[in-house]
Amino acid sequence: MKFKDILGLSLGNLKRRKWRTVLTVTGVFIGTISVVIMLSLGYGLKQSMTEQINSFGSMNDIMVYYDGSDSSMQITDDKLSEWEELPFVSSLYPELVIPVDMEQGKWALSVIIIGLPEDILSEIPIGEGRMPSVANGELELIMGNQMICDVYNKNTYEYPYWDNNQLADFDFLNDTVYSKFTKESSVKVDDNGNLVNTARKKIIPIVAMVEGGVEEYSKYSYAAYAELDILKNYIKKVYKGEAIPGQPTDRNGNPLNYWVYLMATVRVSDKDMVEDAVAYFREMGYRVDNSQEWLEETESMLNIVQLVLGGIGAVALLVAAIGITNTITMSIYERRKEIGIMKVLGCDISDIGGMFISEAAFIGFLGGVVGVILSYLLSFILNVVAGPMASIALEMSDATLSVIPFWLPFVAIAFATMIGMLAGYFPARKATRMSPLLAIRNE
Amino acid sequence: MEKQLEKKVVIDVEDLYKIYRVGEEKVRALDGVSFKVFEGEFVAIVGTSGSGKSTLLNMMAGLEPPTKGHISISGKNIEKLKENQLVSLRRKRVGFIFQSFNLIGSMNAEENVALPLMFRGVSKETRIKKAREMLEVVGLSKHRKHIPTQMSGGQQQRVGIARALVVNPSIIFADEPTGNLDSVTTSEILDLLRELVNEQGKTLVMVTHDKELADVADKVIHIKDGKITKIEIKKENIENEKIEEV
């Protein structure tokens, strides 16, 4: 028997029992929707998370930290030139971290100045202002776009942003900002017994703001940035042989004659070697951070979330499958006589089975198609209605709640069809075993 | 005698038994039945209800396995065949006419007649063309688009006959083909069957409980309590006579 004819007979039978077909298909499309939507929620979460992690830095960068315990592990310029020779390293740079207090009128804030090599400094996206010029050797700063949030009133210790959700009228670019470095010799106890910093105020020009509004977080948001060598020279002059905060001292409390960095960023030449590089530094005892690693961990966690969501959805599809089995079984009992006639007239047994399986498969297919169409609609509605709420809950600027990957509709339809075939298999087998004598018996 | 030798045996039933177990008791539906059906012969199997005639027909058509004995169709033993082989045999060699017509209710006359061809994998165009030819043979050209409920019993049985003929079978089995028809239609249908045997040379085996209907046949096998009581050869229907003894 031709496949086309088997399909034709199946379709004819489904049409004959329109209402029943519609109800069974409804079960399947509800099941399909529940699976597709559940999975799409998982993908939405995954996509939002991945985007967020990507915003923290390049996948090829690994951050190596020195925890200060073992002086032989100090990250120094000598060690950096050693590491530069490693085969997987394409480039690397240290971060020099210097704390400073800033003031303007009644406003004050503590700032971390991070010294970066010129080429890395130029990667910082600049909003207002200009890049610090390196040629004249003058220390100039790029200020993080969210630093304004940390400004407090030095008389009342109130934070306008954190306490009242207001921004201090502190213009980093145009106001005169005084900077004070904390030195052992400058910290005095005043009459009331409080510690005060008597260091001389300096003016370090702030020439640019990091791109982005006050609400837009990036890895450059919460610090000030300067060129590494200029910063080193400047700090040496400021501290003049006194201990520099963050830099270790010798046994007598005197500063060392070299710089120690708390962190270095190692850029790996090949994405596939990131894992090996991470392992290499970790072996040596350093704490290592890498976005890719983080991403992988997050992904494996989200995969479990997705599996659970998909499983919940699949329950509905299982119920639909039982519905299909029921419908086909009914259909076979109703058509006992017809099956018998077909057998007497020489219809191949496998064709009879095929007829019922394709009937079940068609119910699955139709349910799958309708389900996928409605899933897109539901996904759209979810993103429009519930998306903003999710953004707040996940603390993301714009989270997409439901994402349907391009392959999911095809897989969903194929899966629904397969479920149909599976659900139809056992009743179909029953049909093939029915005696042809049922046709001859006169009722 | 010469003519006799030329005749091919189409169905050969040999020492056939069918024993049902009803509780502790054994019921012998067929109790050692043997006979031959020749090519182009119209055979009627006559017996009362419960005589075993329908069981015999079912076994010849491969719908029921015998308990013991042999059946060969066109020289091929069928008692050991598996169901799919039997189905295949019916598809290639056998036409079947039912008492209650057994047309598919959702299909019109033409589609019903074409159904066995569909099972053979014949293309739609060809099978509809053949179905129309067959409907013409049974005189139903005008009704080819009618569904079964729009036709009388006689018309439905003509469709049933056309359906049996459409595959050009070597054997046609008819199970009480006039059992659901009035007397006028009955004789019309019987005339049609007789005509098919005479003109198309088909072999026809018909089961009936009515001895008068059996008169149309060339050979009448009388069966009672699972045993053949008499085999009659009708002289008016057949030229070359042969007396068989039981």
Side-chain angles (χ1 to χ4, degrees):
Chain A
M1 203 167 161
K2 283 190 174 141
F3 182 64
K4 200 176 75 182
D5 289 328
I6 293 178
L7 272 189
L9 284 177
S10 301
L11 278 179
N13 284 327
L14 288 174
K15 260 189 224 160
R16 254 201 282 177
R17 297 269 177 268
K18 269 194 200 85
W19 190 228
R20 194 164 67 193
T21 305
V22 165
L23 287 178
T24 317
V25 166
T26 305
V28 179
F29 82 62
I30 291 173
T32 307
I33 289 173
S34 78
V35 170
V36 170
I37 288 297
M38 284 298 187
L39 287 179
S40 82
L41 290 178
Y43 278 104
L45 197 61
K46 219 180 216 176
Q47 187 177 302
S48 302
M49 290 290 205
T50 311
E51 273 168 16
Q52 201 178 26
I53 289 168
N54 279 332
S55 75
F56 296 152
S58 157
M59 294 289 160
N60 282 27
D61 287 354
I62 63 178
M63 273 69 82
V64 181
Y65 297 92
Y66 166 57
D67 62 4
S69 56
D70 182 351
S71 62
S72 73
M73 277 168 56
Q74 286 174 347
I75 303 174
T76 61
D77 286 316
D78 285 348
K79 194 148 276 174
L80 289 177
S81 32
E82 248 174 63
W83 289 353
E84 204 152 21
E85 301 304 315
L86 293 171
F88 51 78
V89 174
S90 85
S91 69
L92 81 178
Y93 59 91
E95 257 182 41
L96 182 64
V97 175
I98 301 292
V100 66
D101 295 318
M102 291 188 178
E103 281 179 22
Q104 186 269 122
K106 62 179 177 182
W107 302 119
L109 79 159
S110 299
V111 179
I112 297 288
I113 303 176
I114 295 175
L116 295 172
E118 192 187 351
D119 54 334
I120 304 297
L121 195 68
S122 64
E123 283 179 9
I124 298 176
I126 296 293
E128 219 180 316
R130 61 166 173 83
M131 265 292 158
S133 71
V134 176
N136 57 11
E138 223 31 75
L139 182 62
E140 290 174 334
L141 298 178
I142 305 170
M143 187 59 81
N145 57 311
Q146 292 185 311
M147 285 309 299
I148 187 74
C149 304
D150 274 2
V151 170
Y152 63 92
N153 184 319
K154 66 182 175 186
N155 304 316
T156 62
Y157 290 98
E158 260 185 319
Y159 286 83
Y161 182 77
W162 300 118
D163 296 342
N164 303 318
N165 203 20
Q166 285 172 340
L167 291 180
D169 54 339
F170 190 154
D171 185 345
F172 289 116
L173 288 178
N174 300 313
D175 294 344
T176 307
V177 182
Y178 297 101
S179 298
K180 274 202 289 192
F181 292 92
T182 307
K183 291 195 276 188
E184 262 173 55
S185 62
S186 69
V187 178
K188 301 271 161 67
V189 183
D190 71 2
D191 302 340
N192 301 326
N194 293 329
L195 290 175
V196 286
N197 187 0
T198 61
R200 232 163 35 126
K201 291 177 181 170
K202 294 173 181 301
I203 297 175
I204 307 174
I206 297 167
V207 296
M209 297 298 293
V210 172
E211 191 178 35
V214 131
E215 303 286 350
E216 282 171 62
Y217 177 78
S218 77
K219 67 170 177 174
Y220 300 113
S221 291
Y222 264 106
Y225 295 88
E227 202 281 325
L228 182 63
D229 290 326
I230 297 173
L231 182 65
K232 279 180 185 172
N233 288 334
Y234 189 90
I235 294 300
K236 261 189 217 161
K237 269 183 224 157
V238 168
Y239 284 90
K240 276 183 219 140
E242 275 190 65
I244 301 165
Q247 291 293 315
T249 53
D250 63 16
R251 277 185 208 147
N252 306 322
N254 295 320
L256 304 170
N257 57 356
Y258 55 84
W259 293 93
V260 173
Y261 309 105
L262 291 179
M263 192 261 259
T265 301
V266 177
R267 192 156 288 176
V268 179
S269 48
D270 188 345
K271 198 168 174 257
D272 297 334
M273 292 172 82
V274 168
E275 212 174 307
D276 293 340
V278 168
Y280 177 81
F281 287 108
R282 209 162 264 168
E283 190 109 317
M284 288 198 292
Y286 291 100
R287 191 164 71 77
V288 182
D289 252 3
N290 169 245
S291 297
Q292 188 176 319
E293 205 181 30
W294 188 15
L295 186 69
E296 275 165 15
E297 272 169 31
T298 312
E299 258 179 3
S300 67
M301 183 199 77
L302 290 176
N303 280 341
I304 294 170
V305 170
Q306 198 156 33
L307 213 63
V308 171
L309 289 175
I312 294 168
V315 171
L317 203 54
L318 179 75
V319 174
I322 294 169
I324 296 178
T325 306
N326 191 27
T327 296
I328 301 300
T329 308
M330 290 276 288
S331 168
I332 284 165
Y333 273 107
E334 278 173 7
R335 277 147 59 198
R336 281 202 302 272
K337 187 154 184 144
E338 211 173 293
I339 295 165
I341 297 168
M342 286 182 171
K343 277 191 172 182
V344 175
L345 295 181
C347 180
D348 223 73
I349 293 168
S350 61
D351 288 343
I352 291 174
M355 220 146 60
F356 288 103
I357 287 180
S358 54
E359 222 168 282
F362 195 78
I363 290 175
F365 174 77
L366 210 63
V369 170
V370 176
V372 161
I373 293 169
L374 293 180
S375 292
Y376 272 105
L377 197 73
L378 198 63
S379 169
F380 175 76
I381 294 170
L382 267 177
N383 285 335
V384 169
V385 175
M389 281 187 273
S391 297
I392 294 164
L394 296 170
E395 293 179 342
M396 286 176 203
S397 47
D398 64 322
T400 316
L401 203 59
S402 159
V403 173
I404 300 178
F406 74 95
W407 52 264
L408 186 56
F410 302 101
V411 172
I413 292 170
F415 189 64
T417 310
M418 219 179 64
I419 290 274
M421 287 173 82
L422 223 61
Y425 175 76
F426 290 99
R429 212 172 55 160
K430 201 170 188 168
T432 60
R433 288 178 181 173
M434 262 177 207
S435 166
L437 287 176
L438 287 166
I440 329 268
R441 211 163 282 158
N442 298 300
E443 288 144 18
Chain B
M1 277 309 280
E2 244 189 305
K3 266 188 177 178
Q4 197 64 52
L5 285 172
E6 278 170 25
K7 274 195 167 181
K8 255 188 2 199
V9 175
V10 180
I11 303 172
D12 191 354
V13 173
E14 213 177 299
D15 205 20
L16 200 66
Y17 287 86
K18 181 74 185 182
I19 300 165
Y20 294 107
R21 198 182 285 272
V22 181
E24 287 291 295
E25 251 179 282
K26 282 179 180 173
V27 177
R28 287 165 182 261
L30 284 180
D31 197 4
V33 172
S34 302
F35 63 91
K36 287 182 172 68
V37 176
F38 297 97
E39 190 173 28
E41 210 171 24
F42 188 157
V43 176
I45 300 173
V46 183
T48 54
S49 164
S51 61
K53 61 183 191 305
S54 290
T55 307
L56 182 58
L57 186 81
N58 291 344
M59 279 191 282
M60 285 190 284
L63 305 176
E64 251 187 291
T67 311
K68 208 175 104 188
H70 302 285
I71 306 168
S72 81
I73 302 287
S74 309
K76 195 177 181 183
N77 271 346
I78 66 161
E79 69 269 6
K80 292 270 159 59
L81 295 182
K82 296 211 172 75
E83 199 189 1
N84 52 356
Q85 293 169 309
L86 290 169
V87 167
S88 162
L89 182 81
R90 284 199 292 273
R91 187 164 60 232
K92 286 170 191 153
R93 301 252 166 86
V94 175
F96 211 102
I97 301 165
F98 303 88
Q99 176 179 355
S100 46
F101 327 130
N102 282 343
L103 304 179
I104 307 289
S106 57
M107 292 179 176
N108 64 31
E110 197 172 83
E111 288 164 340
N112 264 294
V113 174
L115 198 60
L117 292 174
M118 189 199 267
F119 299 154
R120 287 181 160 200
V122 176
S123 77
K124 190 169 182 179
E125 218 171 73
T126 316
R127 65 180 189 244
I128 291 296
K129 199 176 138 243
K130 277 206 164 175
R132 284 181 187 172
E133 284 170 23
M134 284 305 134
L135 284 170
E136 209 177 313
V137 169
V138 299
L140 270 185
S141 288
K142 280 182 189 166
H143 298 79
R144 60 188 166 86
K145 292 290 177 195
H146 289 190
I147 59 166
T149 48
Q150 295 168 327
M151 290 184 278
S152 70
Q155 287 169 334
Q156 287 189 56
Q157 193 57 297
R158 282 167 191 269
V159 175
I161 291 167
R163 183 175 63 183
L165 285 173
V166 79
V167 291
N168 195 23
S170 44
I171 305 162
I172 299 169
F173 292 109
D175 183 17
E176 301 265 13
T178 58
N180 288 7
L181 302 175
D182 62 58
S183 57
V184 178
T185 325
T186 294
S187 62
E188 275 174 27
I189 292 295
L190 286 177
D191 288 346
L192 178 62
L193 291 178
R194 182 70 245 180
E195 211 178 291
L196 290 173
V197 175
N198 289 350
E199 287 174 14
Q200 300 196 16
K202 303 283 178 212
T203 308
L204 183 77
V205 178
M206 178 179 81
V207 159
T208 179
H209 64 278
D210 193 332
K211 280 180 190 160
E212 280 176 43
L213 298 183
D215 286 344
V216 76
D218 304 322
K219 186 195 272 178
V220 182
I221 299 171
H222 294 267
I223 189 164
K224 194 182 176 189
D225 296 332
K227 284 184 174 155
I228 293 176
T229 52
K230 187 167 72 176
I231 295 181
E232 264 181 281
I233 308 293
K234 300 277 177 182
K235 287 183 188 172
E236 62 269 36
N237 292 331
I238 194 164
E239 286 167 21
N240 46 334
E241 50 189 86
K242 185 186 173 246
I243 309 295
E244 287 181 38
E245 285 179 15
V246 179

